Amino acid sequence: MKYIEYKEQRKHGTFNFPIAFYHEQPRSPRYHMTYHWHTEYEIIRILSGSFHLTINNETNVYHAGDIIFITDGVLHGGTPVDCVYDCIVFDLQILMKDNHACAKIIQDITDHKILIHNLLSAHDDGICELVRGLCEALSSRSTGYEFKVQGYLYQLIGTIFEKHLYEQNRDDAVANERLNSIKNVLAYISENYYNNIKLEHLAKIAGMNEKYFCRYFRSMTERTPIDYLNYYRIECACEMLSTKDISIKEVALSCGFNDESYFIKTFHKYKGITPKQFMTSEF
């Protein structure tokens, strides 16, 4: 469902403790990860199944036991397959408060002078244990868990540097410009999905000709721009059907479908069930 915006607006944690934990399984409303980015860092822990995950312009299949680290501002999303996974979303600045010994390294990470590798688990079993402890502390929220959580994060960053699971940033201005153009397109879709959106206009927002735009967009999202637009509209429809007392026809019109029968057909294409069946399903 559309619980994650492309530029995610969801607040993770609290002002004084900006760390949030999510346990996702096939029936979770946030299970399918739409392409998005946020200003926080994210750790994904795969418990079972597999996850086809795209991070910026690189797609990989991750499996049970994998730990994935995602830097702030990075476009990511994908499809879990029979997958159960944990997500930890956090503001790295929490580790800089009154900590002069670690401040320089943390600042280099937040300034993107240092890029932590995406896949951490392939290099060190100890990282898996640290992340497992981190997830358990966040899940239990027992008295004093805040101390344990920050301790695990410090240990994790320390292990990453000890094992050299990072690299110095060699900025690719052209690649960054292309990624930002896709972010602009995704932001436009999220704000205007209920309107009539043409491929020509999306390509113009991206600053590309239509042919190149379609090829690059598909390489990033594994969907054509129009396919992704319809997919996003159906995600919005799912949210409306789940949270509002509204007719299927009204949902169709609200999500950019002028024809109810086409909406039902498109809904079934992406969800495998009709909107009516979705409304009566237990999630």
Side-chain angles (χ1 to χ4, degrees), residues 32 223 226-232 234-235 257 265-273:
H32 291 279
R223 296 179 186 273
I226 299 304
D227 178 41
Y228 204 91
L229 170 62
N230 285 330
Y231 165 75
Y232 188 83
I234 295 303
E235 293 295 299
F257 294 93
K265 181 180 178 180
T266 306
F267 193 100
H268 190 276
K269 172 185 175 182
Y270 290 106
K271 295 298 177 181
I273 56 177

Side-chain angles (χ1 to χ4, degrees), residues 121-281:
S121 53
H123 303 278
D124 194 283
D125 291 338
I127 284 180
C128 295
E129 287 301 305
L130 286 172
V131 175
R132 180 185 63 80
L134 178 58
C135 290
E136 289 179 357
L138 284 164
S139 178
S140 68
R141 298 176 67 89
S142 58
T143 303
Y145 84 99
E146 297 94 340
F147 293 96
K148 296 174 70 175
V149 166
Q150 292 179 80
Y152 279 122
L153 283 174
Y154 277 121
Q155 288 186 70
L156 179 61
I157 298 299
T159 303
I160 286 170
F161 275 83
E162 178 188 20
K163 303 296 182 181
H164 262 278
L165 306 181
Y166 67 94
E167 60 188 46
Q168 300 294 326
N169 187 12
R170 294 174 175 79
D171 195 37
D172 186 335
V174 175
N176 287 337
E177 184 178 351
R178 290 173 181 170
L179 286 172
N180 287 333
S181 71
I182 295 299
K183 288 180 181 178
N184 291 337
V185 170
L186 296 181
Y188 181 84
I189 289 174
S190 70
E191 295 168 4
N192 298 277
Y193 64 90
Y194 46 83
N195 291 323
N196 181 25
I197 298 178
K198 296 184 180 298
L199 176 62
E200 177 185 2
H201 188 57
L202 294 179
K204 185 177 180 179
I205 292 171
M208 304 175 187
N209 65 56
E210 290 185 31
K211 184 177 180 179
Y212 180 79
F213 169 65
C214 288
R215 185 167 66 248
Y216 184 68
F217 190 95
R218 186 163 191 167
S219 73
M220 289 291 298
T221 66
E222 298 184 341
R223 296 179 186 273
T224 66
I226 299 304
D227 178 41
Y228 204 91
L229 170 62
N230 285 330
Y231 165 75
Y232 188 83
R233 284 170 168 166
I234 295 303
E235 293 295 299
C236 295
C238 286
E239 183 178 21
M240 288 186 184
L241 292 169
S242 300
T243 59
K244 297 182 179 181
D245 183 13
I246 188 172
S247 71
I248 291 174
K249 183 176 182 179
E250 288 174 309
V251 170
L253 292 172
S254 297
C255 293
F257 294 93
N258 295 323
D259 184 275
E260 184 178 354
S261 61
Y262 178 64
F263 167 68
I264 294 172
K265 181 180 178 180
T266 306
F267 193 100
H268 190 276
K269 172 185 175 182
Y270 290 106
K271 295 298 177 181
I273 56 177
T274 65
K276 187 175 181 179
Q277 289 172 324
F278 179 86
M279 293 172 71
T280 57
S281 297

Side-chain angles (χ1 to χ4, degrees), residues 68-69 115-120 123 160 164-167:
I68 303 103
F69 189 95
L115 300 178
I116 294 174
H117 294 170
N118 292 133
L119 180 61
L120 300 179
H123 303 278
I160 286 170
H164 262 278
L165 306 181
Y166 67 94
E167 60 188 46

